[in-house]
Amino acid sequence: MDRREFIKKAVTLAGVSSIGFALKGTPFIFGNNKKSVDMVAVRGGEPDTMFKKGIPYLGGIKNFVKKNDEVAIKVNASWNSKPSDGGNTNPKLVRAVAQACIDAGAKNVYVFDHTIYNPDTTYRESGIKFELSGMKAKIAPANNNRYFEKVKIPNAKILKTAEVHELILSADTLINIPVLKTHGSTRMTSAMKNFMGIVWDRAFYHRNGLHRCIAEIFNFRKPDLNIVDAYNVMVRGGPSGYYNSKIVVKKMQLLSTDLLAIDMAASKILGFKPSTINYLNIANELNLGKKIESINIKKIAI
Amino acid sequence: MKIIRIFFQWLVFILFLSLSFYTFPKIIVDLILGTQIFPSFFRLILHGFSAISIILIFNIIFALFLGRFYCSFLCPLGILQDSIFSIYSFFKKNVKKFRDKNYYRKTLLISGGLFFIFLIASIFNLKVIISIMEPYSLFTKFVYIFDNILTDNIKDTFFYFIIILFILFVLKLFFEERFFCKYICPTGFLLRSISNFSLLNLHIDDNKCIKCKKCENVCKTSCITISKKENRINNSLCVRCFNCYSECPVNAISFSVKNGMNIQNLNRRKSLKVLGFSFILIFFSSLIKKANFIKNAGKNFKKNQTVPVGSNTLENYINRCINCNLCVNVCPTNVLQPNIQAPRLNYNIAFCDYFCNECSKVCPVNAIKYIPIQDKKKIAMGKSNLDKNLCVVYSKNQSCGACAEICPTGAVHLVNYKNNLMAPELDNKICVGCGSCEYACPTRPIRAIKVEPYNKHRKLKIEEQKTEKEVKTEEFPF
């Protein structure tokens, strides 16, 4: 960068930030002189608008996605259920996040999940395939062992090695978009439980201690951004919602970089005490994040 | 004529290929598969008359009018052979023709003998022989192989058996064009005996012919003999590819009604004998097959194997299936795996999707009868058994619940067991035996929860599930 270019860029930067400063009510894009926000909780809007309202408080998507980055978005698309049934991540939210990443200059955007049911039908039923059609974002396959690579997990007691999806290794930015549901055996599935879908051998988790394995995978890599979709919340009959299920339309969304705090907040939305969910206690032991009491939450109602 | 044939061939070939990869409505699938002679014939004798049988009758009428029209225009294996050979001959010019003195006699005797073996095999349900000799089943197996190579699917031992066969087949193809149609194909033999009497035939006009022998070189089945004395076309061997028709420089070859001198090789009486022989054989073997003479057909098939929804009973399934593996090709979860007798559901690899009825849409012989998705959801293939000594929750006191998580009907559900631990419990009244619990169960090498198949599929009373819905606006609880 020569001197002239530097001056040009400095002037434009100053100009843009002063515009941001001048307009009242809009969050600051450059430099936040207030106390930094750890978690944003939005409620009352559609999933995509809630995301657009909420993300600037975390510094905008540009804080996470740099130009020419490869972005991997881990969604929940495991079940043959429609968007209104709350079994899968809301497709509008997936679209909004993927579009934001593309607009921020991402080179490749991949959406992936090691689905439980057949991926062809689940992506179609969940509406994610339809929403992503015609976009630069692609659905990365994860239904075969060859897309997974064996890695060593540091500081692990049980899950010492795991076969994780190749995107976990190659992606520059990892975004986690779970949907909030109850779960038969672990009580709640949210940001942490969603990362069970990045490994090939899920049976290993079940066989050797489910709660500890759920927490220990994050010693390998944490997601850079978590967005919990709590628009249609399944409060009974999860995770599949195939029988005896109940949906409460809460129209909420949580955004955070902190894994533990967002799951603790999510458990409160479902009406659980965080301490009753075992993997959250283990995550606290492993220092995966801050507790909800000690973070700064920005609440927005639309 | 040749251009029309090639165009038609591509159309049919693409249709048959797309059957394995795309979902079509049931009627279109039936229409495409109905063109195959032996599958629709088996369907006729075991299932009675249906719309598909009309296509079969049309096929026979076509054979009476046009000869072995089917081989060049409708048979997917024939088209596959043609395309492989055209690639081969593109690189190597002047491919040798294999033909000796007793060529016609030899092909007739070998294919006739194999036809006899084929019928015996179909009576005794020897699926290996049926599926290798029947051209359509062989074609779907090749699609299966390509599919496996390209997409790296899960393989079974049977796969290697087919791949050896495939290599042999391709090697033989390179030496001789349309080898399969001349020596092995039972459908070919049947059409051959009919097409002796076909109305329209290829003829060489002796006055026009300049003996350039171009037609002899391009003929796919080497049925043209050009010599100084006489020109002959063996119309029973001719597959109506019309290569000679467009190759002839003086337009001496015509496709017309003419009982001229050059319909030779088999005189009327001899060809009537062949026709009568094959029809009597077919008649008796179909009678035997219809009477289900061989009762314990599923003897070699393991009794603990579940059969797909739509086949109703194991015996029914084994008797009707021709092991063409099309259902294996279309199965989205790959739970249907090829086997020597008939495709089987392998719950170690995958599970039968509760929301899918793809296999029942494509079966050409109705071994898997078509069942609409809402009916399929209420039919039980088996029930599950839980071994509490092996189960992670009961034996180790750890939380698991993988089976209950995946169960589509709620037959496996979680109940409170010990201080906040949830344990699986079974309700076999609503279990459909889809095997999802067996697939998800983490215990190895023996799974704690297993599906035990029913001898006859049962109809269950499963209520349509509806999600309760509620809209609530509330403040954040934190």
Side-chain angles (χ1 to χ4, degrees):
Chain A
M1 193 190 283
D2 60 5
R3 193 187 294 160
R4 181 176 292 174
E5 205 180 323
F6 174 75
I7 292 166
K8 259 187 191 169
K9 283 209 168 163
V11 169
T12 43
L13 268 177
V16 170
S17 50
S18 61
I19 291 165
F21 198 82
L23 293 168
K24 231 179 177 183
T26 49
F28 306 126
I29 301 164
F30 295 95
N32 206 337
N33 51 1
K34 275 185 191 169
K35 215 167 125 193
S36 69
V37 174
D38 293 313
M39 188 164 86
V40 184
V42 200
R43 69 175 176 86
E46 288 300 299
D48 45 345
T49 52
M50 283 198 288
F51 168 73
K52 280 168 196 161
K53 292 270 183 198
I55 193 73
Y57 292 94
L58 292 173
I61 196 79
K62 281 191 179 160
N63 205 354
F64 305 98
V65 180
K66 303 278 175 300
K67 211 165 192 190
N68 286 332
D69 267 7
E70 190 179 271
V71 182
I73 300 173
K74 169 70 179 76
V75 296
N76 189 342
S78 275
W79 310 100
N80 286 335
S81 66
K82 290 184 187 70
S84 58
D85 293 342
N88 301 321
T89 310
N90 198 302
K92 279 182 187 165
L93 176 62
V94 177
R95 188 191 165 89
V97 175
Q99 190 60 51
C101 293
I102 292 166
D103 293 344
K107 192 172 63 182
N108 295 315
V109 178
Y110 294 110
V111 173
F112 77 105
D113 186 14
H114 177 199
T115 58
I116 292 173
Y117 272 72
N118 175 36
D120 297 340
T121 47
T122 60
Y123 279 119
R124 193 181 64 225
E125 285 283 312
S126 66
I128 293 173
K129 195 180 176 185
F130 175 74
E131 290 287 344
L132 291 182
S133 59
M135 276 175 86
K136 219 175 112 189
K138 279 180 218 131
I139 293 171
N143 55 348
N144 197 299
N145 205 353
R146 70 181 156 150
Y147 302 116
F148 291 80
E149 275 176 51
K150 202 166 187 177
V151 292
K152 273 188 180 170
I153 315 264
N155 305 326
K157 266 188 192 168
I158 299 170
L159 194 71
K160 281 169 184 158
T161 58
E163 287 169 283
V164 299
H165 196 271
E166 56 191 10
L167 278 172
I168 302 293
L169 299 165
S170 66
D172 301 304
T173 310
L174 194 57
I175 299 174
N176 185 14
I177 322 181
V179 60
L180 182 59
K181 290 182 284 185
T182 55
H183 192 275
S185 50
T186 61
R187 304 202 72 183
M188 179 188 80
T189 163
S190 180
M192 281 176 74
K193 178 74 172 62
N194 192 31
F195 257 46
M196 206 166 159
I198 65 164
V199 296
W200 175 250
D201 192 9
R202 274 191 287 250
F204 184 89
Y205 278 46
H206 284 292
R207 202 161 48 227
N208 299 302
L210 189 56
H211 291 285
R212 192 153 197 106
C213 289
I214 288 170
E216 277 181 352
I217 190 79
F218 292 102
N219 279 340
F220 182 70
R221 185 172 178 179
K222 277 188 227 171
D224 301 304
L225 174 64
N226 301 292
I227 304 161
V228 173
D229 168 28
Y231 189 84
N232 294 319
V233 182
M234 196 185 288
V235 294
R236 192 180 67 210
S240 63
Y242 288 158
Y243 53 90
N244 190 26
S245 63
K246 187 183 173 183
I247 300 286
V248 177
V249 184
K250 293 197 174 184
K251 299 195 180 182
M252 288 178 184
Q253 197 172 98
L254 304 171
L255 300 102
S256 176
T257 51
D258 198 302
L259 201 60
L260 181 57
I262 204 168
D263 258 13
M264 283 179 130
S267 71
K268 284 189 173 175
I269 290 176
L270 272 183
F272 295 137
K273 265 189 183 172
S275 60
T276 57
I277 296 160
N278 205 356
Y279 65 80
L280 292 182
N281 298 334
I282 296 167
N284 194 26
E285 256 174 59
L286 293 170
N287 279 328
L288 292 180
K290 293 176 203 157
K291 282 201 166 185
I292 191 168
E293 293 85 14
S294 60
I295 60 161
N296 183 19
I297 304 172
K298 172 77 189 171
K299 291 175 189 171
I300 309 165
I302 296 170
Chain B
M1 287 293 253
K2 192 187 169 186
I3 292 159
I4 296 170
R5 171 184 64 94
I6 288 169
F7 177 75
F8 201 83
Q9 277 190 337
W10 275 109
L11 195 82
V12 171
F13 193 65
I14 288 165
L15 271 179
F16 271 95
L17 265 184
S18 55
L19 268 190
S20 298
F21 301 105
Y22 296 100
T23 314
F24 288 109
K26 174 75 180 155
I27 304 163
I28 295 172
V29 175
D30 273 352
L31 209 69
I32 299 169
L33 292 178
T35 57
Q36 298 307 306
I37 288 181
F38 265 107
S40 45
F41 178 68
F42 283 138
R43 191 168 173 163
L44 175 71
I45 52 173
L46 288 178
H47 245 280
F49 195 82
S50 62
I52 284 88
S53 321
I54 298 169
I55 307 172
L56 177 71
I57 291 164
F58 263 107
N59 248 324
I60 303 290
I61 292 169
F62 266 129
L64 280 172
F65 273 96
L66 303 166
R68 288 174 74 168
F69 162 83
Y70 165 85
C71 298
S72 269
F73 285 81
L74 292 172
C75 177
L77 191 75
I79 299 165
L80 182 74
Q81 287 182 77
D82 280 358
S83 46
I84 291 175
F85 195 81
S86 64
I87 295 164
Y88 176 65
S89 58
F90 183 78
F91 291 110
K92 198 187 170 188
K93 304 279 186 246
N94 299 326
V95 187
K96 247 187 179 177
K97 294 277 170 192
F98 278 73
R99 201 167 59 170
D100 48 21
K101 232 180 179 180
N102 291 324
Y103 173 68
Y104 300 123
R105 207 181 142 72
K106 209 169 90 185
T107 51
L108 185 73
L109 282 178
I110 291 174
S111 62
L114 286 174
F115 179 70
F116 189 60
I117 290 171
F118 176 80
L119 288 180
I120 290 173
S122 66
I123 294 167
F124 284 90
N125 272 313
L126 303 171
K127 296 291 165 49
V128 182
I129 296 171
I130 297 173
S131 62
I132 289 170
M133 285 177 67
E134 212 278 308
Y136 153 73
S137 334
L138 198 54
F139 172 76
T140 40
K141 283 198 181 53
F142 292 153
V143 178
Y144 174 70
I145 288 170
F146 280 122
D147 191 23
N148 270 275
I149 291 166
L150 291 174
T151 59
D152 200 17
N153 274 342
I154 308 138
K155 296 173 187 79
D156 225 342
T157 40
F158 190 59
F159 173 76
Y160 297 103
F161 167 73
I162 309 167
I163 220 165
I164 293 164
L165 190 89
F166 179 65
I167 292 162
L168 282 175
F169 181 78
V170 170
L171 279 179
K172 191 63 212 168
L173 258 180
F174 282 168
F175 291 124
E176 203 169 332
E177 199 178 2
R178 288 249 179 185
F179 170 79
F180 184 86
C181 307
K182 288 185 285 190
Y183 290 102
I184 300 168
C185 185
T187 317
F189 179 79
L190 185 70
L191 289 174
R192 188 176 173 169
S193 52
I194 298 170
S195 72
N196 272 323
F197 303 94
S198 75
L199 199 66
L200 294 160
N201 280 317
L202 281 163
H203 302 282
I204 302 174
D205 194 337
D206 285 343
N207 302 327
K208 280 186 188 169
C209 181
I210 51 167
K211 315 266 180 201
C212 66
K213 293 202 174 184
K214 270 185 180 165
C215 50
E216 211 184 280
N217 282 328
V218 293
C219 183
K220 281 188 194 297
T221 50
S222 343
C223 61
I224 305 174
T225 328
I226 307 284
S227 61
K228 277 179 186 171
K229 273 191 236 160
E230 54 172 356
N231 304 327
R232 296 194 308 188
I233 297 179
N234 186 320
N235 270 307
S236 70
L237 254 182
C238 173
V239 290
R240 307 289 192 255
C241 67
F242 301 112
N243 272 355
C244 51
Y245 186 87
S246 37
E247 192 73 20
C248 187
V250 289
N251 289 332
I253 297 173
S254 59
F255 187 60
S256 54
V257 191
K258 216 185 275 175
N259 282 321
M261 287 291 288
N262 41 19
I263 311 169
Q264 295 279 332
N265 306 306
L266 284 168
N267 52 35
R268 282 263 146 155
R269 183 179 284 177
K270 211 171 176 184
S271 44
L272 256 178
K273 237 190 226 169
V274 171
L275 186 67
F277 170 73
S278 53
F279 265 86
I280 286 165
L281 271 181
I282 282 189
F283 182 69
F284 279 109
S285 57
S286 57
L287 269 187
I288 294 168
K289 195 158 169 64
K290 176 126 181 114
N292 200 3
F293 187 62
I294 318 299
K295 275 279 184 214
N296 50 354
K299 210 171 135 192
N300 298 330
F301 206 74
K302 280 182 199 159
K303 273 278 182 271
N304 58 359
Q305 288 299 339
T306 330
V307 290
V309 177
S311 46
N312 204 12
T313 58
L314 179 73
E315 212 162 71
N316 185 358
Y317 180 58
I318 297 287
N319 244 332
R320 284 174 183 170
C321 177
I322 55 165
N323 208 3
C324 72
N325 282 359
L326 186 61
C327 49
V328 177
N329 286 349
V330 298
C331 182
T333 59
N334 286 322
V335 66
L336 269 170
Q337 287 291 322
N339 197 7
I340 290 168
Q341 273 291 330
R344 65 198 173 109
L345 294 166
N346 191 341
Y347 290 151
N348 288 336
I349 297 173
F351 62 96
C352 180
D353 198 330
Y354 186 60
F355 307 92
C356 158
N357 61 348
E358 291 297 315
C359 56
S360 74
K361 277 183 194 166
V362 295
C363 190
V365 287
N366 253 1
I368 308 173
K369 208 175 169 186
Y370 176 68
I371 287 185
I373 197 89
Q374 58 269 33
D375 292 353
K376 191 246 177 182
K377 285 180 177 175
K378 288 172 189 165
I379 291 174
M381 301 179 264
K383 61 175 186 182
S384 17
N385 289 325
L386 176 67
D387 189 346
K388 289 188 178 174
N389 298 323
L390 288 171
C391 178
V392 172
V393 183
Y394 287 106
S395 66
K396 285 188 188 170
N397 284 334
Q398 281 177 1
S399 63
C400 172
C403 46
E405 186 182 312
I406 202 168
C407 181
T409 61
V412 191
H413 51 271
L414 292 175
V415 291
N416 236 330
Y417 173 54
K418 257 185 213 173
N419 45 15
N420 236 345
L421 200 64
M422 305 295 272
E425 199 66 49
L426 276 174
D427 177 13
N428 270 325
K429 271 179 203 161
I430 49 171
C431 177
V432 291
C434 69
S436 52
C437 48
E438 188 176 334
Y439 162 75
C441 186
T443 58
R444 298 286 184 284
I446 302 163
R447 318 228 168 177
I449 192 160
K450 274 199 159 178
V451 171
E452 184 195 327
Y454 290 138
N455 287 329
K456 193 165 189 268
H457 290 170
R458 291 177 195 179
K459 219 164 178 205
L460 301 177
K461 280 177 190 163
I462 299 174
E463 282 171 30
E464 197 78 23
Q465 291 289 332
K466 267 188 184 167
T467 350
E468 214 180 305
K469 223 162 182 186
E470 194 183 326
V471 183
K472 236 184 200 173
T473 359
E474 48 187 87
E475 287 292 318
F476 289 112
F478 43 81

